[in-house]
Structures are given as structure tokens and as C-alpha cells.
Amino acid sequence: MRTNRHAAILVGALLVAPFSAFAQEHPTGQSEHPKSQKAKTVTTADLDTAIKARIEEKTKADGGVFKVEDKVLKKTWELTLLKVHTDKLTPLSADTYFACTDFKAKDGTLLDVDFYLKNQDGKLVITDTTIHKTNGKPRFNYVEKDGVWVREEIKS
């Protein structure tokens, strides 16, 4: 009977040893496989902060003004931010967002500039900047086509 008990203990020890070695290989709090994480919801405040941070960063780089290339008038505007329209910060898809802003040019011209942002790896990145209006006059409108908002040029 004693021999059977000793054999059972020995077999049990041999079976447990490999699993304890495995546990050592994967310490608590670590994993060799990524864990699923729920995507962070982007708030209006997040969009506002991202836009203002980008404008501030670019303004410093551009010598104290926010420069925007105007492909229609073939000129570069030197702008100062007046307002980010937090009521017009809009999700366009699961990871793409739209924001409307107001700027004033050095010559007094008012510009409505639209920003498009994309959530890339948890960081909001500006993907496009477009002049929407000059002194209140729109260059284009947004039209929904097949569930997607597209720009439609205004015919003069």
C-alpha cells in the first residue's frame, strides 16, 4: 500500500511540474497575446482639443500664424483662430470626424475652415483642411449621397 501511495505522489509531482514551469513562463500581468480592448469613444471635447492642439502646433511652426493653402484663389492665408464650432463636431464614420472652425486673416477676411480627423491608433489625426467659406460665402455645400456626405461645388 505504501508503494502505491509513493508512486501516486511521484506521478502527481511529475504531472504538476510542467504546469508550474509554464506558470513561471507567463508571469501575472503579462501575456504573449494581445487582449481585446474596447475602442475609446471620441467626445466633442476630444475633437476640440485635437483641433486646437494641431492649430497651435502649426501656428508655432509657421511663425505665429496658421497658414492654409487656398487652391481656388492660389494664395496662402495667414490666419488666427476665432472659434471651433463645438456644435458642429460630427462623427462621419466609426473613426472619421468633421469639425468647422472660424478664422480671421491678417487682411480682415473671415474664413470658415473645415477639418477632417481620423482616429489612428487612439490618436486623432487631421487628414484634410478645406476652406468652406470666405466672408460667409460658401464655396461648396455638403450633400448626402447613398449615406455618405460629399462636397458639391456651388456653381457661380
Side-chain angles (χ1 to χ4, degrees), residues 8-22:
I9 291 171
L10 180 60
V11 170
L14 291 173
L15 289 174
V16 171
F19 293 109
S20 63
F22 178 75

PDB file of all heavy atoms in Angstrom, residues 8-22:
ATOM      1  N   ALA A   8       1.927   7.163  -6.437  1.00  0.00           N
ATOM      2  CA  ALA A   8       0.914   8.170  -6.755  1.00  0.00           C
ATOM      3  C   ALA A   8       1.468   9.572  -6.526  1.00  0.00           C
ATOM      4  O   ALA A   8       1.244  10.494  -7.329  1.00  0.00           O
ATOM      5  CB  ALA A   8      -0.340   7.941  -5.927  1.00  0.00           C
ATOM      6  N   ILE A   9       2.199   9.775  -5.455  1.00  0.00           N
ATOM      7  CA  ILE A   9       2.791  11.096  -5.159  1.00  0.00           C
ATOM      8  C   ILE A   9       3.818  11.444  -6.229  1.00  0.00           C
ATOM      9  O   ILE A   9       3.863  12.563  -6.723  1.00  0.00           O
ATOM     10  CB  ILE A   9       3.420  11.099  -3.741  1.00  0.00           C
ATOM     11  CG1 ILE A   9       2.302  11.026  -2.702  1.00  0.00           C
ATOM     12  CG2 ILE A   9       4.277  12.339  -3.527  1.00  0.00           C
ATOM     13  CD1 ILE A   9       2.785  10.808  -1.279  1.00  0.00           C
ATOM     14  N   LEU A  10       4.643  10.482  -6.612  1.00  0.00           N
ATOM     15  CA  LEU A  10       5.657  10.708  -7.627  1.00  0.00           C
ATOM     16  C   LEU A  10       5.017  11.062  -8.974  1.00  0.00           C
ATOM     17  O   LEU A  10       5.421  12.007  -9.640  1.00  0.00           O
ATOM     18  CB  LEU A  10       6.542   9.459  -7.769  1.00  0.00           C
ATOM     19  CG  LEU A  10       7.662   9.561  -8.801  1.00  0.00           C
ATOM     20  CD1 LEU A  10       8.608  10.694  -8.451  1.00  0.00           C
ATOM     21  CD2 LEU A  10       8.405   8.241  -8.896  1.00  0.00           C
ATOM     22  N   VAL A  11       4.006  10.304  -9.360  1.00  0.00           N
ATOM     23  CA  VAL A  11       3.305  10.577 -10.623  1.00  0.00           C
ATOM     24  C   VAL A  11       2.651  11.960 -10.567  1.00  0.00           C
ATOM     25  O   VAL A  11       2.732  12.744 -11.505  1.00  0.00           O
ATOM     26  CB  VAL A  11       2.264   9.471 -10.933  1.00  0.00           C
ATOM     27  CG1 VAL A  11       1.380   9.874 -12.089  1.00  0.00           C
ATOM     28  CG2 VAL A  11       2.971   8.157 -11.232  1.00  0.00           C
ATOM     29  N   GLY A  12       2.032  12.272  -9.428  1.00  0.00           N
ATOM     30  CA  GLY A  12       1.397  13.586  -9.266  1.00  0.00           C
ATOM     31  C   GLY A  12       2.410  14.702  -9.381  1.00  0.00           C
ATOM     32  O   GLY A  12       2.173  15.723 -10.041  1.00  0.00           O
ATOM     33  N   ALA A  13       3.577  14.549  -8.776  1.00  0.00           N
ATOM     34  CA  ALA A  13       4.628  15.569  -8.841  1.00  0.00           C
ATOM     35  C   ALA A  13       5.110  15.742 -10.272  1.00  0.00           C
ATOM     36  O   ALA A  13       5.357  16.859 -10.733  1.00  0.00           O
ATOM     37  CB  ALA A  13       5.780  15.190  -7.917  1.00  0.00           C
ATOM     38  N   LEU A  14       5.259  14.648 -10.991  1.00  0.00           N
ATOM     39  CA  LEU A  14       5.713  14.720 -12.379  1.00  0.00           C
ATOM     40  C   LEU A  14       4.680  15.414 -13.279  1.00  0.00           C
ATOM     41  O   LEU A  14       5.031  16.099 -14.225  1.00  0.00           O
ATOM     42  CB  LEU A  14       6.034  13.323 -12.904  1.00  0.00           C
ATOM     43  CG  LEU A  14       7.271  12.653 -12.285  1.00  0.00           C
ATOM     44  CD1 LEU A  14       7.377  11.207 -12.760  1.00  0.00           C
ATOM     45  CD2 LEU A  14       8.532  13.420 -12.649  1.00  0.00           C
ATOM     46  N   LEU A  15       3.400  15.204 -12.973  1.00  0.00           N
ATOM     47  CA  LEU A  15       2.347  15.841 -13.771  1.00  0.00           C
ATOM     48  C   LEU A  15       2.245  17.336 -13.480  1.00  0.00           C
ATOM     49  O   LEU A  15       1.982  18.130 -14.366  1.00  0.00           O
ATOM     50  CB  LEU A  15       0.993  15.165 -13.515  1.00  0.00           C
ATOM     51  CG  LEU A  15       0.840  13.760 -14.077  1.00  0.00           C
ATOM     52  CD1 LEU A  15      -0.491  13.151 -13.612  1.00  0.00           C
ATOM     53  CD2 LEU A  15       0.891  13.783 -15.597  1.00  0.00           C
ATOM     54  N   VAL A  16       2.464  17.760 -12.240  1.00  0.00           N
ATOM     55  CA  VAL A  16       2.328  19.168 -11.849  1.00  0.00           C
ATOM     56  C   VAL A  16       3.536  19.983 -12.268  1.00  0.00           C
ATOM     57  O   VAL A  16       3.417  21.142 -12.627  1.00  0.00           O
ATOM     58  CB  VAL A  16       2.093  19.278 -10.319  1.00  0.00           C
ATOM     59  CG1 VAL A  16       2.157  20.707  -9.854  1.00  0.00           C
ATOM     60  CG2 VAL A  16       0.758  18.656  -9.958  1.00  0.00           C
ATOM     61  N   ALA A  17       4.723  19.392 -12.263  1.00  0.00           N
ATOM     62  CA  ALA A  17       5.960  20.119 -12.553  1.00  0.00           C
ATOM     63  C   ALA A  17       5.927  20.879 -13.877  1.00  0.00           C
ATOM     64  O   ALA A  17       6.270  22.053 -13.924  1.00  0.00           O
ATOM     65  CB  ALA A  17       7.144  19.149 -12.494  1.00  0.00           C
ATOM     66  N   PRO A  18       5.513  20.270 -14.981  1.00  0.00           N
ATOM     67  CA  PRO A  18       5.500  21.028 -16.240  1.00  0.00           C
ATOM     68  C   PRO A  18       4.556  22.227 -16.193  1.00  0.00           C
ATOM     69  O   PRO A  18       4.830  23.254 -16.786  1.00  0.00           O
ATOM     70  CB  PRO A  18       5.031  20.007 -17.282  1.00  0.00           C
ATOM     71  CG  PRO A  18       5.266  18.676 -16.692  1.00  0.00           C
ATOM     72  CD  PRO A  18       5.170  18.866 -15.209  1.00  0.00           C
ATOM     73  N   PHE A  19       3.409  22.115 -15.491  1.00  0.00           N
ATOM     74  CA  PHE A  19       2.456  23.220 -15.428  1.00  0.00           C
ATOM     75  C   PHE A  19       2.998  24.360 -14.582  1.00  0.00           C
ATOM     76  O   PHE A  19       2.772  25.523 -14.881  1.00  0.00           O
ATOM     77  CB  PHE A  19       1.093  22.743 -14.901  1.00  0.00           C
ATOM     78  CG  PHE A  19       0.417  21.808 -15.872  1.00  0.00           C
ATOM     79  CD1 PHE A  19       0.288  20.462 -15.595  1.00  0.00           C
ATOM     80  CD2 PHE A  19      -0.053  22.274 -17.083  1.00  0.00           C
ATOM     81  CE1 PHE A  19      -0.311  19.608 -16.496  1.00  0.00           C
ATOM     82  CE2 PHE A  19      -0.664  21.427 -17.997  1.00  0.00           C
ATOM     83  CZ  PHE A  19      -0.789  20.083 -17.712  1.00  0.00           C
ATOM     84  N   SER A  20       3.746  24.056 -13.511  1.00  0.00           N
ATOM     85  CA  SER A  20       4.315  25.120 -12.705  1.00  0.00           C
ATOM     86  C   SER A  20       5.401  25.839 -13.495  1.00  0.00           C
ATOM     87  O   SER A  20       5.582  27.035 -13.378  1.00  0.00           O
ATOM     88  CB  SER A  20       4.834  24.594 -11.365  1.00  0.00           C
ATOM     89  OG  SER A  20       5.879  23.671 -11.573  1.00  0.00           O
ATOM     90  N   ALA A  21       6.130  25.124 -14.341  1.00  0.00           N
ATOM     91  CA  ALA A  21       7.136  25.757 -15.198  1.00  0.00           C
ATOM     92  C   ALA A  21       6.449  26.674 -16.199  1.00  0.00           C
ATOM     93  O   ALA A  21       6.918  27.765 -16.497  1.00  0.00           O
ATOM     94  CB  ALA A  21       7.951  24.688 -15.926  1.00  0.00           C
ATOM     95  N   PHE A  22       5.293  26.248 -16.737  1.00  0.00           N
ATOM     96  CA  PHE A  22       4.521  27.067 -17.669  1.00  0.00           C
ATOM     97  C   PHE A  22       4.066  28.355 -16.989  1.00  0.00           C
ATOM     98  O   PHE A  22       4.137  29.436 -17.554  1.00  0.00           O
ATOM     99  CB  PHE A  22       3.317  26.277 -18.193  1.00  0.00           C
ATOM    100  CG  PHE A  22       2.437  27.068 -19.114  1.00  0.00           C
ATOM    101  CD1 PHE A  22       2.839  27.323 -20.415  1.00  0.00           C
ATOM    102  CD2 PHE A  22       1.223  27.573 -18.679  1.00  0.00           C
ATOM    103  CE1 PHE A  22       2.038  28.047 -21.272  1.00  0.00           C
ATOM    104  CE2 PHE A  22       0.429  28.306 -19.527  1.00  0.00           C
ATOM    105  CZ  PHE A  22       0.834  28.545 -20.830  1.00  0.00           C
TER     106      PHE A  22
END
